[in-house]
Amino acid sequence: MNTLLPTSIVGSLPKPSWLSEPEKLWSPWKLRDDELREGTLDAQTLAAHEQRRSGLDIISDGEQTRQHFVTTFIEHLKGVDFDRRETVRIRDRYDASVPTVVGAVSREKPVFAADATHLRAVTDKPIKWALPGPMTMIDTLYDDHYKSREKLAWEFATILNQEAKDLEAAGVDIIQIDEPAFNVFFDELKDWGVATLERATEGLSCETAVHICYGYGIKANTDWKATLGAEWRQYEESFPLLQQSSIDIVSLESHNSRVPADLIELLRGKKVMLGTIDVANDTVETPEEVAATLRRALPFVDADKLYPSTNCGMAPLDRRVARDKMVALATGAELLRRELC
């Protein structure tokens, strides 16, 4: 990446109202079959155009072809029964009805490669693709086969590695693994979490990133954040391990959070994708606020390793708000670029 302070969103963008219900997280599709396929690719093209028009440097699909950032991938795997539902505790925060692992999990064919090929064709900018991480995947299922979170995580890591290699072949420049579970299950993080993450990205030539946030701005997450005290220090558990890992980029939440900026020092030498846009409210940041958030990180990360981004995905927001936030992200990064050059 030759651009100083290259900007990107972390995950999702709001979907058009003709594709799913606006301002609702994981809303059901309004289209079916061939119309759904055409509609999601049209939405992906639109998302790429809006990112570029907003001034972003790295383009993603905005998760326009996915209803859910985890289960849309799992839907394409063998060994998981979506009709057999069980209630589990998601990240120790809220209960949800989830599919059941009923047999050996496997991937018969690429899941997102065709979508990534389409994105590659609609922009000449670097592109990024997000996949759910092994620990976050197992936390979104009921396992009635392996009876072991670790065993299932290793199986998913192998499947994710197959998928990641297909995405790389489709022209993806950065593969981002989403692991919000890293901010919750610290013993598993140390025992096998980072190891399965590295297995998922093994053998890739493109850049790799891991995204660890405090979640979408839904009530379960905001209630949890309210219990975390004056400083959010969960990253102290993962950052030292990731600093020693093979992962190239670590993505973290910063703006409007209580994460101490000096924790970024624990990643010294890694590239840091810094969340400068709050996705939990509709207030549009000013470019000056974005630049200020980035400035606070500079004592702890070299400028050529700093990637300004959003805190998390923006799927539940109004599309105009999301667009204005992207513009603020790009403009704020440009303010700091001018100071540094």
Side-chain angles (χ1 to χ4, degrees):
M1 192 69 58
N2 295 323
T3 302
L4 184 64
L5 305 179
T7 53
S8 69
I9 60 171
V10 156
S12 60
L13 284 173
K15 293 180 174 67
S17 59
W18 43 261
L19 186 58
S20 66
E21 184 179 342
E23 299 179 49
K24 182 178 180 180
L25 194 58
W26 307 321
S27 174
W29 301 117
K30 291 184 177 181
L31 306 177
R32 292 290 182 271
D33 303 324
D34 290 345
E35 286 187 346
L36 176 59
R37 178 63 181 163
E38 182 178 355
T40 54
L41 292 181
D42 286 348
Q44 185 197 79
T45 301
L46 182 58
H49 174 71
E50 289 186 342
Q51 290 171 75
R52 180 156 191 165
R53 188 175 64 172
S54 298
L56 300 188
D57 302 296
I58 302 165
I59 306 300
S60 84
D61 72 325
E63 297 182 13
Q64 299 298 296
T65 62
R66 283 167 275 181
Q67 184 186 20
H68 188 283
F69 82 110
V70 179
T71 56
T72 297
F73 181 66
I74 297 173
E75 283 171 5
H76 293 81
L77 307 181
K78 291 187 67 176
V80 182
D81 188 343
F82 273 74
D83 293 323
R84 182 177 162 188
R85 314 289 294 194
E86 299 286 347
T87 298
V88 302
R89 193 80 174 162
I90 303 291
R91 291 195 283 284
D92 281 343
R93 268 175 250 168
Y94 57 94
D95 292 332
S97 174
V98 300
T100 299
V101 179
V102 295
V105 292
S106 63
R107 186 196 74 141
E108 293 186 305
K109 59 182 180 179
V111 177
F112 296 131
D115 298 342
T117 298
H118 181 268
L119 179 63
R120 178 70 286 165
V122 300
T123 181
D124 58 0
K125 285 183 172 287
I127 62 173
K128 180 173 68 167
W129 200 275
L131 292 171
M135 188 183 292
T136 298
M137 289 175 72
I138 65 170
D139 195 52
T140 317
L141 294 168
Y142 178 79
D143 176 18
D144 197 32
H145 178 73
Y146 294 91
K147 311 289 189 179
S148 164
R149 284 168 64 89
E150 181 178 358
K151 286 181 181 177
L152 182 54
W154 280 108
E155 292 295 319
F156 280 143
T158 298
I159 291 170
L160 286 165
N161 188 246
Q162 297 165 357
E163 182 73 13
K165 287 178 177 177
D166 287 326
L167 290 171
E168 181 179 59
V172 173
D173 300 285
I174 302 173
I175 292 177
Q176 173 185 302
I177 307 294
D178 293 335
E179 278 288 24
F182 276 13
N183 259 353
V184 180
F185 304 112
F186 300 129
D187 289 340
E188 292 177 329
L189 166 72
K190 296 179 178 70
D191 290 345
W192 50 262
V194 173
T196 55
L197 172 67
E198 290 187 298
R199 173 68 186 100
T201 58
E202 185 179 318
L204 296 176
S205 298
C206 65
E207 285 200 300
T208 59
V210 59
H211 170 60
I212 313 169
C213 68
Y214 288 79
Y216 283 109
I218 59 176
K219 187 177 185 300
N221 292 333
T222 55
D223 288 351
W224 173 61
K225 292 179 186 181
T227 70
L228 299 181
E231 288 190 342
W232 301 352
R233 306 194 69 89
Q234 285 71 22
Y235 289 135
E236 279 184 322
E237 304 286 345
S238 58
F239 283 2
L241 300 172
L242 292 169
Q243 196 275 336
Q244 296 294 317
S245 76
S246 59
I247 301 299
D248 299 309
I249 307 167
V250 179
S251 167
L252 63 136
E253 184 169 323
S254 182
H255 183 63
N256 279 355
S257 79
R258 297 176 184 171
V259 175
D262 61 4
L263 292 184
I264 299 170
E265 178 66 40
L266 299 173
L267 294 169
R268 181 66 73 177
K270 293 292 184 184
K271 295 174 181 177
V272 173
M273 193 177 295
L274 190 74
T276 65
I277 297 293
D278 185 2
V279 301
N281 65 63
D282 291 340
T283 303
V284 177
E285 291 78 2
T286 66
E288 290 75 18
E289 286 176 319
V290 171
T293 301
L294 294 169
R295 240 181 253 114
R296 283 192 291 273
L298 283 177
F300 313 108
V301 56
D302 295 339
D304 63 351
K305 295 184 182 298
L306 185 57
Y307 285 41
S309 68
T310 55
N311 279 348
C312 190
M314 295 192 284
L317 299 180
D318 177 89
R319 287 180 67 195
R320 289 165 295 183
V321 170
R323 189 180 307 123
D324 290 346
K325 282 178 175 281
M326 288 192 291
V327 171
L329 170 60
T331 309
E334 180 60 24
L335 286 178
L336 186 58
R337 250 182 237 125
R338 291 173 186 169
E339 293 178 19
L340 296 172
C341 291

